[in-house]
Amino acid sequence: MRQNDLYINKIDWLSILLYGALVMIGWFNIYAAVYDEQAAKSIFDFSINSGKQLVWIGTAVLLITVIMVADYRLFDNLSLILYGIFLLILLLTPFIGKEINGQRAWFEIGPFRLQPGEFAKFATALALAKFIEKPSFDLSQPKFQLQAILVILLPVSLIMLQPDTGTAMVYMAFFIMLYREGMPQKYYVFALVFIAISLLSLAVDNNLYIALPVAGLTLILILLGKKNWQRIVTLCLIGIAIIAYSYSLDLVVSKLPQHQQNRIMVLFNPDIDPLGVGWNVTQSKIAIGSGGFWGKGYLEGTQTKFDFVPEQHTDFIFCTLGEEFGWIGSLVVVFLFAALLIRLVFLAERQKTRFSRVYGYCVISILLFHFMINISMTIGLFPVVGIPLPFFSYGGSSLWSFTILLFIFIKLDSHRIQLLGRMN
């Protein structure tokens, strides 16, 4: 009994409280997103999304109970087995999954749909933690970098077969964890430069605007630098590579499906087709902006009531919040997310084992990536890629996967002392 009390006292109730607050606020906003003043139904009505979400919330509580009463050693012992199982499921999904909007990313079980790519995140996080926990695993060495990258890219490649670009993109968040664990900084600098050049290439109409400055800068660096052939050849090759990439990117983009090309175009020119490809983002920004400082009031959002924003209960749920609760309401939710992420960083840093710390930073990376991309998407700072807002957006797969991801870490944290003894 005393051991039980000790375990309960070590559970991080603050993280659970923040989780509960986000889930409940999200639930009320899901009801607001589908609210029909002419045929108003109770928030508990199972025929509408808020009632269905309540079922998912209830089952999420059951999942939490199972995780918290399970033996904490299971997550370490079964990590690679779970990873293998989900790789197999992802491999089968394009063949036997339910096709929705041109993607075979879901399994349909009666009235419910489950998305394996969402659940594979926690399995991938556990597998990465299992690999990296070894004392000999050194991310400053190329062979270990390759191993970690392969663990990430295997599920990504299988998800792209569905194809589900948005879900696959989320797995890149694991590189945030790799940076914390010692991946060389030069790779991240290169990635940022690569992204900057890509955005610049997509933003300009004529690639000569890139080619001429790059050629001029290369020439200046050669003239100002030391006159040795190795330096000159290196600078010339870098300049040629940048120019070639800017031109080839246009060719690559032209081969993408039309809807993905449209999303990229809208990012740089939202007014290019406000009644067509730019409709979602334009209406989302109108909804958020119309909320002003205090908002229009709960269930009073006109953009929401008249369904101006498609998918407002899922990917664009944040604009419902912005319209009805304004800047203040949006700030409160952003604060709750920030508080949860900061708290998780604190928990990750106090772990006694590398396994728990790595897994903790995987959780942080996934939640941070979803949070930043989803909100950026709703205000037009990122292309629409179908990434839900954690704990907030409607959907069982989303809520379950984030719940499992988070509560495995809370469970590991509550047993951090026992884990240390077991590892030793």
Side-chain angles (χ1 to χ4, degrees), residues 39 56 108 205 332:
W56 293 119
E108 196 166 58
D205 295 326
V332 168

Side-chain angles (χ1 to χ4, degrees), residues 17-54:
L17 179 64
L18 291 168
Y19 162 84
L22 288 168
V23 169
M24 295 312 295
I25 295 172
W27 180 52
F28 280 106
N29 276 275
I30 289 168
Y31 179 62
V34 298
Y35 179 73
D36 184 352
E37 197 171 21
Q38 301 301 319
K41 296 182 179 180
S42 166
I43 193 173
F44 301 101
D45 192 321
F46 295 126
S47 67
I48 59 176
N49 288 336
S50 60
K52 295 173 185 175
Q53 187 71 3
L54 186 60

Side-chain angles (χ1 to χ4, degrees), residues 40-299:
K41 296 182 179 180
S42 166
I43 193 173
F44 301 101
D45 192 321
F46 295 126
S47 67
I48 59 176
N49 288 336
S50 60
K52 295 173 185 175
Q53 187 71 3
L54 186 60
V55 174
W56 293 119
I57 292 171
T59 48
V61 173
L62 291 178
L63 284 174
I64 292 169
T65 304
V66 170
I67 291 170
M68 298 308 286
V69 300
D71 191 326
Y72 66 94
R73 292 166 290 194
L74 282 175
F75 305 112
D76 181 13
N77 295 337
L78 298 179
S79 55
L80 297 182
I81 295 174
L82 287 170
Y83 180 69
I85 290 171
F86 275 100
L87 287 182
L88 179 60
I89 294 172
L90 290 175
L91 182 61
L92 295 174
T93 304
F95 303 101
I96 62 176
K98 174 76 173 179
E99 183 172 345
I100 301 173
N101 297 328
Q103 297 176 337
R104 287 189 178 273
W106 288 266
F107 283 137
E108 196 166 58
I109 305 170
F112 302 108
R113 293 174 186 163
L114 295 176
Q115 190 174 5
E118 290 288 337
F119 293 97
K121 293 172 190 173
F122 84 85
T124 305
L126 286 170
L128 281 167
K130 187 66 176 176
F131 272 96
I132 297 175
E133 75 168 343
K134 301 171 186 175
S136 60
F137 200 98
D138 184 1
L139 278 169
S140 66
Q141 297 182 28
K143 69 174 182 178
F144 294 113
Q145 295 166 11
L146 182 61
Q147 288 178 25
I149 291 171
L150 282 175
V151 172
I152 297 169
L153 292 186
L154 275 174
V156 169
S157 59
L158 295 175
I159 290 170
M160 287 303 295
L161 293 176
Q162 297 172 3
D164 187 356
T165 308
T167 302
M169 184 186 299
V170 173
Y171 284 74
M172 297 301 102
F174 288 121
F175 283 89
I176 300 173
M177 176 278 296
L178 294 181
Y179 179 76
R180 165 63 182 83
E181 293 301 318
M183 183 75 87
Q185 191 175 25
K186 61 184 178 182
Y187 297 136
Y188 296 86
V189 173
F190 175 80
L192 289 174
V193 171
F194 175 79
I195 292 169
I197 294 172
S198 299
L199 292 174
L200 187 61
S201 299
L202 293 170
V204 299
D205 295 326
N206 190 335
N207 282 317
L208 281 176
Y209 293 127
I210 295 176
L212 292 177
V214 168
L217 180 61
T218 302
L219 181 61
I220 291 170
L221 290 173
I222 290 172
L223 294 174
L224 294 178
K226 296 178 181 178
K227 298 295 190 294
N228 64 70
W229 288 107
Q230 188 177 11
R231 179 186 177 87
I232 292 172
V233 170
T234 301
L235 288 172
C236 287
L237 288 175
I238 292 173
I240 292 169
I242 293 173
I243 294 169
Y245 174 71
S246 67
Y247 278 95
S248 63
L249 188 61
D250 288 340
L251 179 62
V252 171
V253 170
S254 68
K255 300 298 182 182
L256 292 174
Q258 190 59 49
H259 72 279
Q260 292 184 355
Q261 293 185 44
N262 292 340
R263 288 171 179 177
I264 294 172
M265 290 163 53
V266 169
L267 176 65
F268 296 103
N269 187 2
D271 300 323
I272 192 170
D273 186 9
L275 299 179
V277 297
W279 176 265
N280 287 25
V281 174
T282 300
Q283 296 303 315
S284 175
K285 290 194 288 186
I286 290 173
I288 293 172
S290 67
F293 190 80
W294 294 109
K296 297 175 180 177
Y298 187 55
L299 304 181

